[in-house]
Amino acid sequence: MNLADLNKVALSMVTPGKGILAADESSGTIKKRFDAINVASTEESRRDYREMMFRHPRGDGPYISGVILYDETIWQDAKDGTPLIKLIEQAGAIPGIKVDEGTQALPNCPGELITVGLDKLGERLKKYYERGARFAKWRAVIDIGQQVPTMTAIHVNAHALARYAALCQAAEIVPIVEPEVLMDGDHDIDRCYDVTQRVLNKTFQELRIQRVALEGMILKPNMAIAGKKCAKQSSVEEVAEKTIRMLKACVPAAVPGIAFLSGGQSDEDATAHLDAMNRIGGLPGISPFPTAARCRRRRRRRGRASPRTSPRASGHLPIARG
């Protein structure tokens, strides 16, 4: 492991004025989105759609530090034979890859999930690095409910995140560590704060046990926010203040930066919360959420995802970071 190189990539991913583009939808997910606009989801149409995003000269290029790819995409070439991953590099962004293989039911823990994909991950990471990937993403999912999360779910997901991160660094790839506490329930902001704090503390404990170099990773956490079904929704200021306080208490200073996930928030709410946090300041390398959802929604509405159209990219979050 070359920690200096990993740290350089991690710092580049949270460059001020830039964010990370998530283009890692699975084939099933992108089919649902294409179905909504009556576009057939084929290998060619998915290729053309992503080529349009990566190649368009008036798009997100100046605002994108990295692009998260799906396994299908990283091996695809553009129509002219140029590997899609090269288009990303030519635009000045860092190619990355989603490596988890989704979730499965966690035995003996009804309603809880465990993220899978560690089997042969080391071999896959070696091939992804040779192809040009320099960072990776793995998402753990923690739900909040009457009897959940259990300590079992928190522990096994934190352990899997740490094993993934260690394997990434051994392959010279920067891991994005994403322990997401969902906002689907009726819990209030204080319950989210408490659960997220427990999840983050356990995650960093496991990262230390696996000897992951914190200087060579990026954290992708949720905010402290009330569940969607909660009768009392918090103000923008409360979300920002409690999120900053929570992360200061849990995230070691060695971590180069934080790339928030929006976690199902609306565009307007997510942007307002991030803006308020940047105004407070005090966290290293606060990065906008991966911007794909916002960019995709606008592109599909304007251009119907047709390879013959190239709507101007939009939806990045022009937020300063300290």
Side-chain angles (χ1 to χ4, degrees), residues 182-198:
L182 301 177
M183 59 176 292
D184 296 333
D186 60 1
H187 54 276
D188 62 17
I189 189 172
D190 291 327
R191 173 83 165 127
C192 177
Y193 183 105
D194 175 67
V195 170
T196 305
Q197 188 172 44
R198 288 162 54 199

Side-chain angles (χ1 to χ4, degrees), residues 1 8 13 40 45 79 98 111 179 202 252 254 274 295 297 322:
M1 176 179 67
K8 182 179 179 180
M13 291 167 64
S45 67
K79 277 191 173 182
K98 172 188 174 182
K202 188 62 178 177
L274 185 61
C295 296
R297 281 195 288 270

Side-chain angles (χ1 to χ4, degrees), residues 280-296:
I280 295 172
L283 285 176
I286 299 178
S287 175
F289 331 97
T291 57
R294 292 156 184 78
C295 296
R296 284 191 300 260

Side-chain angles (χ1 to χ4, degrees), residues 69-76 83 85-86 89 95-99 101 119-136 167-168 170-173:
L69 300 173
Y70 183 58
D71 181 79
E72 177 186 71
T73 312
I74 199 170
W75 305 110
Q76 287 179 321
I85 201 166
K86 292 298 181 184
E89 293 173 345
I97 180 71
K98 172 188 174 182
V99 298
E101 297 177 340
D119 291 346
K120 298 183 179 180
L121 178 57
E123 298 174 18
R124 290 195 287 134
L125 288 168
K126 181 179 178 180
K127 294 177 182 177
Y128 288 141
Y129 183 89
E130 292 172 349
R131 182 66 172 174
R134 291 298 178 265
F135 72 92
L167 288 167
C168 282
E172 306 298 339
I173 288 176

Side-chain angles (χ1 to χ4, degrees), residues 102-116 153 156-157:
T103 58
Q104 295 179 358
L106 181 60
N108 302 319
C109 296
E112 296 188 287
L113 302 170
I114 175 67
T115 302
V116 297
V156 297
N157 277 289

